[in-house]
Amino acid sequence: MLLNDAHRAALLDVLTWRRDVRHFKTDPVDQEVLDRLRATMDLAPSVGNARPWRVLQVKDADKRAAITADFETENAKAAALYSDDARRDYNALKLSGMHDAPVHLAIFTETAPREGRGLGRQTMPETLAYSTVGAIYTLWLAARAENIGLGWVSIINPERIKQILQTPDTWHLTGYLCLGHAEFQDDTPLLHKTGWQENVQTHWKTV
Ligand SMILES: Cc1cc2nc3c(=O)[nH]c(=O)nc-3n(C[C@H](O)[C@H](O)[C@H](O)COP(=O)(O)O)c2cc1C
């Protein structure tokens, strides 16, 4: 299949308007949309084609509450690392949409997958986690194309999340994702917009 200008323009729109979303409406996401999103993760590249990502959709109210409480605890600890003005600025940031997002996905990496038969990861076992990140980004873009926002939450204690979700020892937490309809659309990262940071460009040098 040869792709044309219209494909390139559409891809650029998806990339430009993808955001890390933390402000969600509580409206549910249609199951057919979720099914399509799940299928797009199969399209992601992975080391040795191992597809080591393991996805748990967290629906149980008690588990969601425990995970949200863990975020609050870890976020307060992170805030305490800053002093004075920086802490005030940090506390003004909204760093998770867990309370409102209708869909919560805990994404793990199976660190000892049979799939792939070890190919490609002997010298760099971390490529399994990299593969999972690729699958998350695939999901992220596919969600944007469905007009569904996605927010990545990393301010959590991985061991606590594993305990709450009772996962196998070989599963390593890669990311916790919130999905749902976004409150607003933007083409600029929120951390830049709120003045937390300057926007930085890709460091790329020819040597
Ligand atoms: C690995 C990873 C972890 C992240 N963890 C968080 C998080 O815990 N809370 C949050 O608000 N944003 C988190 N983000 C989102 C980033 O802050 C966001 O991608 C960045 O500010 C650029 O904004 P944009 O995604 O809208 O372009 C995470 C992003 C990545 C890739």
Side-chain angles (χ1 to χ4, degrees):
M1 181 190 185
L2 212 51
L3 301 180
N4 58 35
D5 284 348
H7 293 109
R8 279 185 283 283
L11 177 61
L12 192 60
D13 277 344
V14 173
L15 292 165
T16 303
W17 289 92
R18 176 208 58 79
R19 284 280 67 76
D20 185 85
V21 173
R22 301 133 203 177
H23 299 81
F24 291 98
K25 298 176 184 166
T26 53
D27 312 48
V29 177
D30 290 344
Q31 188 56 47
E32 308 85 76
V33 173
L34 277 181
D35 290 344
R36 283 200 293 273
L37 292 181
R38 186 181 54 189
T40 60
M41 293 184 89
D42 294 341
L43 303 175
S46 60
V47 64
N49 203 24
R51 296 188 178 166
W53 45 90
R54 304 289 182 263
V55 181
L56 292 184
Q57 184 174 348
V58 185
K59 274 192 175 170
D60 179 85
D62 290 341
K63 289 185 173 53
R64 282 169 73 130
I67 291 168
T68 305
D70 181 68
F71 163 76
E72 302 292 354
T73 303
E74 296 302 327
N75 198 37
K77 282 197 222 166
L81 297 173
Y82 298 96
S83 55
D84 308 327
D85 286 358
R87 187 185 308 149
R88 193 204 54 216
D89 292 348
Y90 182 92
N91 282 326
L93 299 170
K94 182 168 167 57
L95 296 174
S96 121
M98 283 173 163
H99 281 292
D100 294 328
V103 178
H104 285 205
L105 301 180
I107 315 278
F108 295 86
T109 300
E110 168 58 82
T111 57
R114 277 186 299 121
E115 298 80 3
R117 298 165 60 193
L119 191 148
R121 62 179 161 90
Q122 302 303 346
T123 53
M124 293 179 67
E126 63 273 26
T127 49
L128 287 168
Y130 298 166
S131 302
T132 301
V133 173
I136 292 174
Y137 194 53
T138 302
L139 174 71
W140 207 334
L141 295 178
R144 186 63 192 83
E146 297 270 6
N147 292 308
I148 296 297
L150 182 154
W152 187 323
V153 188
S154 55
I155 309 165
I156 42 179
N157 177 337
E159 288 311 312
R160 177 85 186 107
I161 305 305
K162 287 185 62 171
Q163 194 184 37
I164 294 166
L165 297 176
Q166 311 244 301
T167 52
D169 289 344
T170 53
W171 287 20
H172 166 92
L173 182 70
T174 302
Y176 195 85
L177 311 179
C178 296
L179 283 90
H181 299 273
E183 283 275 12
F184 52 87
Q185 314 297 337
D186 215 328
D187 62 355
T188 307
L190 206 57
L191 291 185
H192 178 45
K193 230 175 164 170
T194 54
W196 175 259
Q197 54 142 222
E198 294 296 312
N199 227 6
V200 285
Q201 290 185 334
T202 297
H203 184 99
W204 182 322
K205 254 170 82 170
T206 304
V207 292

